[in-house]
Amino acid sequence: MPDVRRPGYPAGLHIVTKVGVRRSSTGGWITFLDPADLKAQVHENLRHLGLETLDVVNLRAASFGGDGSSVAEPFGTLADLREQGLIRHLGLSGITDVQLTEAQAIAPVVTVQNQYNLVDRADDDLVDRCAEEGIAYAAFFPLGGGYHPLRSRSLRDVARRLGASEQQVALAWLLQRSPSTVLIPGTSRVAHLRENIAATDLRLPDEAIAELDAIGQ
């Protein structure tokens, strides 16, 4: 892995970071939304990445699904750092529609990063809203993630007919779901990375999309 402290990132590379949580001694996540700690996290990112300004910083809400609490104070802290020139753009992660509206009243939001996939469709309306407002919607766990990978007979049948893997079809569905959708399909293997990238070239016919849409209904 190259030393990320060194200058000379490739042209066109944009790094998105996330603040609001820290790792516990046992590897879990602990929420840290205190203004002083958020500022410290931003400065840590700048130092570790060897940058003077972070392209995008996402504020992670207290829970993945968005617990409905106010994001005004922590998001306002990041908005202040944006005004100081330490951050170019702001985003949100694990939030609700109401929290997005609250944040937008403070500063522009360029991206929302939430859990969303063929089966987990709780964010359907938020995905549509982001597309309408020109906000990038970054779907994490697009393949189910963790110990709950996507399992569906319809997905398997569509993949077989198209000569693609089930993972490629699931990713292609997300990319065609909304023009503002981007994906975070984590992997530790180069072969899987190449397979995921190939999903961008897979165009699903209307009948396949209708069949896949029904999975989450």
Side-chain angles (χ1 to χ4, degrees):
M1 173 178 284
D3 182 1
V4 296
R5 292 176 182 268
R6 285 187 298 179
Y9 289 112
L13 175 67
H14 297 285
I15 299 175
V16 180
T17 66
K18 186 175 350 184
V19 297
V21 294
R22 291 184 181 276
R23 284 288 193 184
S24 68
S25 59
T26 58
W29 293 106
I30 302 176
T31 299
F32 280 91
L33 296 176
D34 177 78
D37 199 274
L38 286 175
K39 293 176 183 178
Q41 292 175 56
V42 168
H43 282 282
E44 288 168 9
N45 282 332
L46 288 167
R47 185 171 63 255
H48 293 160
L49 293 169
L51 298 170
E52 295 182 357
T53 303
L54 298 171
D55 284 328
V56 184
V57 174
N58 285 334
L59 173 69
R60 176 173 162 177
S63 64
F64 276 126
D67 64 357
S69 60
S70 173
V71 297
E73 182 179 51
F75 193 77
T77 298
L78 297 184
D80 289 340
L81 296 177
R82 174 177 172 268
E83 290 297 320
Q84 296 172 30
L86 299 179
I87 302 171
R88 289 192 178 90
H89 303 288
L90 299 175
L92 296 160
S93 178
I95 55 94
T96 65
D97 183 84
V98 171
Q99 289 170 320
L100 172 57
T101 298
E102 182 182 34
Q104 284 178 315
I106 299 170
V109 175
V110 302
T111 182
V112 167
Q113 184 187 97
N114 276 11
Q115 181 171 331
Y116 186 73
N117 55 54
L118 265 173
V119 174
D120 189 344
R121 304 279 294 282
D123 261 10
D124 268 341
D125 290 341
L126 188 56
V127 170
D128 292 336
R129 175 182 174 179
C130 286
E132 292 171 359
E133 299 181 13
I135 299 171
Y137 183 96
F140 64 77
F141 291 156
L143 298 176
Y147 298 101
H148 303 285
L150 297 182
R151 292 286 186 269
S152 166
R153 180 174 180 177
S154 295
L155 176 60
R156 184 169 62 251
D157 290 344
V158 169
R160 184 169 54 248
R161 293 199 307 269
L162 297 178
S165 70
E166 294 177 40
Q167 292 79 9
Q168 287 175 323
V169 170
L171 296 177
W173 178 85
L174 282 167
L175 291 172
Q176 290 181 233
R177 169 67 179 80
S178 164
S180 69
T181 297
V182 295
L183 309 179
I184 311 175
T187 182
S188 59
R189 301 172 65 179
V190 173
H192 287 169
L193 175 62
R194 290 171 176 161
E195 180 178 314
N196 290 341
I197 292 174
T200 61
D201 296 323
L202 179 62
R203 300 301 300 174
L204 303 177
D206 291 344
E207 61 272 17
I209 291 177
E211 191 171 347
L212 296 170
D213 284 347
I215 293 175
Q217 294 175 0

